Amino acid sequence: MINRELLDPQSIVIVGGSNNQHKPGGAIVRNLLQGGYKGTLRIVNPKEDEVQGIKVFHDVKELPPTELAVLVIPAKLCPDTAETLARDKGVKAFIIISAGFGEETKAGAALEQRILDTCERYGASLIGPNCIGLLNRQHHSVFTQPIPNLNPKGVDFVSGSGATAVFILESAVIKGLQFNSVWSIGNGKQIGIEDVLQYMDEHFDAEHDSRVKLLYIENVGNPDKLLFHAASLIRKGCRIAAIKAGSSESGSRAASSHTGAIASSDSAVEALFRKAGIVRCFSREELTTVGCIFTLPELKGKNFAIVTHAGGPGVMLTDALSKGGLNVPKLEGPAAEELKTKLFPGSAVANPIDILATGTAEQLGIAIDYCEEKFDEIDAIAVIYGTPGLTTLYEAYETLHKKILESKKPIFPVLPSLHTAGPEVAEFLAKGHVNFSDEVTLATALSQIMKTPQPAPPEIELFGVDVPRIREIISRTKNGYLNPDTVRELLGCAGIPMVPEKVSNKKEELIQFAEQAGYPVVAKVVGPVHKSDVGGVTLNIRTPEHLSMEFDRMMKIKDASGVMVQKMLKGTELFIGAKYEERFGHVVLCGLGGIFVEVLKDVQSGLAPLSYGEAYSMIHSLRGYKILKGTRGQAGINEKKYAEIIVRLSTLLRFATEIKEMDINPLLADGDDVVAVDARILVER
C-alpha cells in the first residue's frame, strides 16, 4: 500500500542517522536537509547527541509520534524496531535501506517477513528492504547522489535496483532530463514496481501529473497488474519505457540472486511489453535517451531533416535513422535552392543540411525555419552542433533554444561537445532542454519508440473459434503429446486450416488416401516426438510402390504406432509456437520456419490472447519480414491470413491453459493460402 505518510510525511525519523556523510545514515540526513524538507526531522543514534545540527534521540522509545521512519541499522534489529515504531509511535510508512534480508539467506527472508507482517498489522507502507530510498519533491529520503532537478512534469522513475537507479540518474542528469520522483523498491516485499504503477494509474491527474514513466525491472512479480496499469496509463496519455534485465540464462540467475525473486522469462516479458505498449530498452543510455525523447512533442511521422555544421555526424545519423526504419528524404526544389542562397558557398541543403563549420547562429536559425515552414514533407528536425564550428556557441544555442520553443515540429538537439563546451551546454540545459550527445543512440531510441505498438485492446477475438468444443476436447485428453487426430480436431475448432492428411496403421488405407489426394505426398511416422531425428519423414513420394516401402520401414521405428500421409505442398515456410509461462499465461511465438527458427532464432513473441494489431506488429518486427513481403521476384505471403491464424491460435490457448507447449512448423504460405502442415501439442494438467 502507498499512503500519504510515505509520499508527503509531516515528520520523518532516521533510525541510524549519523554525522558521517560517507555512510548511508549520514548521507540521508544530508540529502533531506539540503533538499529543504519542510517537516520535522528526527534522528535516532545511541552514540551521538547531535547529528548535522539536529538533536538526537538515543532510543526509538524516546520518540514522539512520527509519520515516516527510515531504517539504516543492521537487518537483525529492523523487525523489533519496526514493531515498536508502528505500535507505539504511530509510524505509517517505512523505508528500509538495510540489506541482509531475503536477497541473501532464508534467515534474512524470515526477518523481512516479520517486518511485512508488522506493516500489514498496523496499516503501514513499506519500501524495501535493500534499497536506496525514495526521492520526490516533498522529501529526499535517499542516501545517494546525484539529486536531479525535480519538477511536477519531470519523469517518474521506478527501479528494482538501487545502484542501477543511481547510474541511470547519472546518465539522465547529463542529458538534462528532469524528474518528479525516484522509487527504489529494493526487494519489493510490500510495494513492487507493479504497485507503484497501480498507484500512479489510480491517482492519475492529467493536468498536474508527469506523463513519462521509466522502469528498471529485474523480476516481474505480477504480470497482470503490470499489464493492466501500464496500458491504462498509456491510454491516459502517458508514455512508458523499461529495461528488463536478466534476458540471458546467466543474467536471469544473477537477477534472481540479486533480489531473491524468481526471474521472469524474457520472451514472456517481451510479449507483455508489446501488449502493454511499453518501449523496451536494453541499456541505461537507451532508457534515458527514450525518456528525453518522451519530453519532446510527439513524433508524428518518419521524415527527418538533419541540420549540422559537421558532415560526419550527419552521415552517421542518416545511416542510423535509415537502419531503424526512419527516413532522411532528399530536399530539392525552389525552397531548397532558396535556402542555399542564404548560406555560405559550399553549404549543402539536400539533407543533411550542412551549414559548414563557419555557419553562423543566424544561418542555423534560417535552416531550422525552412525545415519548419517550407519543407512540408519534414516531420522532425535533428540539429547537430558542437565546438568544431567557428561561431560563438552561446549564440548558436540561444538560437536553438528559441526555435525549440517556437517550432511545432519536434527538434532533437545533438550537442556532442560535453567536455570542450561544458558551460555552454549546461546553460542550454538550464533552460529546460534535453541533449542527445550521441546521434546513433538517439536514432536507436527513436526506432524503438516507433516500432512499439499502442496498448492492445482487452477484448478477445472470438469470431470463428468454437470455445465450448475446445473445452470438451481438452477435458477428455490425457497428459502428454496429443495424437494427430486430436491435434487436427483442436485446430479445426479454432478455424486454422490444415493440409489434407490421413493417419493409419493400415497400408491400404494410406495408399487409397494418396490416390485420392494426388501425388506427390509426404509420409511421417506417428509416435516418436522428433520424427526427423529417427528418419521418420519422407518427402516427394510419387508412387504407391514408394509409399508402400516407406510405410513398412517407418512401422519398424521404435515407438511407431502408425504413419501419417499428407498432400505435399510447396511455399514459404512459417512457424507459430507457444509455451505456457507461470504467472504470464501463453507466450505465442511467430517467425519464418525451418532454419530461421532453428538457427537464426528470428522469432517475435506476444501474450495470449492477441489482437490483430499485436499479430501484425509481431510479423512486421521479424528480421526476415522482407522475405514475407516478397523479394527478388518472389511473391509475398498473405499477411492477413498469417495474422488471423496467430490470433485464432492465441484465442484457443486462452481457453486451454492445460496446453503447456505447442508448435505449428511448418505453416506453408503459397499464394493466398496459409495452411498448417505439421503440429504438436503437449497437455499437462
Side-chain angles (χ1 to χ4, degrees), residues 265-276 280 453 575-579 581 584 586-591 601-611 613-622 642 646 650:
S265 159
D266 190 63
S267 60
V269 173
E270 180 79 29
L272 179 68
F273 282 13
R274 185 191 302 276
K275 186 176 280 292
R280 185 166 190 186
F575 161 81
I576 302 178
K579 183 178 180 182
E581 292 282 354
F584 286 82
H586 284 100
V587 178
V588 180
L589 305 171
C590 79
K601 310 296 184 186
D602 183 15
V603 295
Q604 291 293 323
S605 58
L607 204 58
L610 294 166
S611 66
E614 289 177 278
Y616 281 119
S617 173
M618 291 164 65
I619 295 169
H620 295 165
S621 297
L622 292 166
Y642 189 24
I646 293 171
S650 78

Side-chain angles (χ1 to χ4, degrees), residues 377-684:
E377 69 271 37
I378 294 301
D379 302 304
I381 308 159
V383 176
I384 306 174
Y385 209 99
T387 52
L390 302 177
T391 55
T392 305
L393 281 181
Y394 283 113
E395 292 180 5
Y397 290 172
E398 178 63 22
T399 297
L400 182 56
H401 159 67
K402 291 178 179 178
K403 296 304 177 185
I404 290 174
L405 297 181
E406 297 169 359
S407 177
K408 294 180 181 178
K409 298 175 182 178
I411 296 177
F412 298 86
V414 181
L415 315 181
S417 304
L418 300 181
H419 177 66
T420 54
E424 293 93 332
V425 173
E427 182 178 288
F428 177 79
L429 298 181
K431 294 174 181 175
H433 301 299
V434 294
N435 173 34
F436 307 94
S437 60
D438 182 80
E439 59 278 353
V440 175
T441 303
L442 168 62
T444 302
L446 281 165
S447 67
Q448 283 293 100
I449 293 171
M450 294 298 287
K451 75 180 186 182
T452 301
Q454 288 298 303
E459 297 80 19
I460 300 176
E461 298 283 352
L462 291 172
F463 180 74
V465 180
D466 189 345
V467 175
R469 180 67 176 150
I470 289 170
R471 289 309 312 158
E472 189 274 323
I473 295 169
I474 289 292
S475 66
R476 58 178 164 81
T477 60
K478 298 179 180 179
N479 285 358
Y481 284 97
L482 302 185
N483 63 60
D485 287 340
T486 306
V487 170
R488 175 175 284 270
E489 198 176 1
L490 271 176
L491 295 184
C493 291
I496 297 173
M498 292 196 72
V499 63
E501 67 181 29
K502 176 72 174 179
V503 177
S504 178
N505 58 6
K506 296 179 180 179
K507 183 189 304 184
E508 296 75 15
E509 291 183 358
L510 296 176
I511 292 175
Q512 183 181 3
F513 170 80
E515 295 283 355
Q516 293 171 349
Y519 290 100
V521 295
V522 178
K524 303 177 183 179
V525 68
V526 176
V529 174
H530 302 289
K531 303 176 181 65
S532 298
D533 294 347
V534 295
V537 178
T538 302
L539 308 177
N540 204 28
I541 298 173
R542 294 182 174 274
T543 65
E545 293 77 16
H546 189 185
L547 177 56
S548 175
M549 181 180 67
E550 290 298 334
F551 176 87
D552 292 339
R553 182 184 65 82
M554 288 183 184
M555 289 302 291
K556 296 176 183 177
I557 294 174
K558 183 181 178 182
D559 298 327
S561 60
V563 173
M564 173 194 295
V565 173
Q566 295 176 322
K567 173 69 177 174
M568 185 169 174
L569 302 176
K570 293 183 179 180
T572 302
E573 289 191 5
L574 306 174
F575 161 81
I576 302 178
K579 183 178 180 182
Y580 186 82
E581 292 282 354
E582 201 65 39
R583 297 179 292 127
F584 286 82
H586 284 100
V587 178
V588 180
L589 305 171
C590 79
L592 276 77
I595 190 173
F596 290 94
V597 172
E598 296 171 8
V599 179
L600 301 182
K601 310 296 184 186
D602 183 15
V603 295
Q604 291 293 323
S605 58
L607 204 58
L610 294 166
S611 66
Y612 279 93
E614 289 177 278
Y616 281 119
S617 173
M618 291 164 65
I619 295 169
H620 295 165
S621 297
L622 292 166
R623 296 195 302 276
Y625 175 61
K626 288 183 179 179
I627 297 173
L628 302 185
K629 286 184 68 177
T631 184
R632 295 201 172 187
Q634 292 187 348
I637 72 162
N638 187 329
E639 270 186 50
K640 182 178 179 181
K641 284 197 174 179
Y642 189 24
E644 181 179 338
I645 291 172
I646 293 171
V647 171
R648 287 176 176 273
L649 180 67
S650 78
T651 303
L652 160 66
L653 294 167
R654 171 64 180 81
F655 293 99
T657 55
E658 297 89 347
I659 295 175
K660 298 307 183 225
E661 290 182 19
M662 76 162 297
D663 64 62
I664 303 175
N665 188 19
L667 277 172
L668 276 183
D670 183 23
D672 285 337
D673 292 327
V674 181
V675 297
V677 174
D678 199 4
R680 59 179 182 173
I681 296 177
L682 175 65
V683 168
E684 290 180 3

Side-chain angles (χ1 to χ4, degrees), residues 355 360-370 399-400 403:
I355 66 173
T360 65
E362 181 184 8
Q363 290 172 328
L364 173 65
I366 291 171
I368 294 173
D369 285 342
Y370 269 72
T399 297
L400 182 56
K403 296 304 177 185

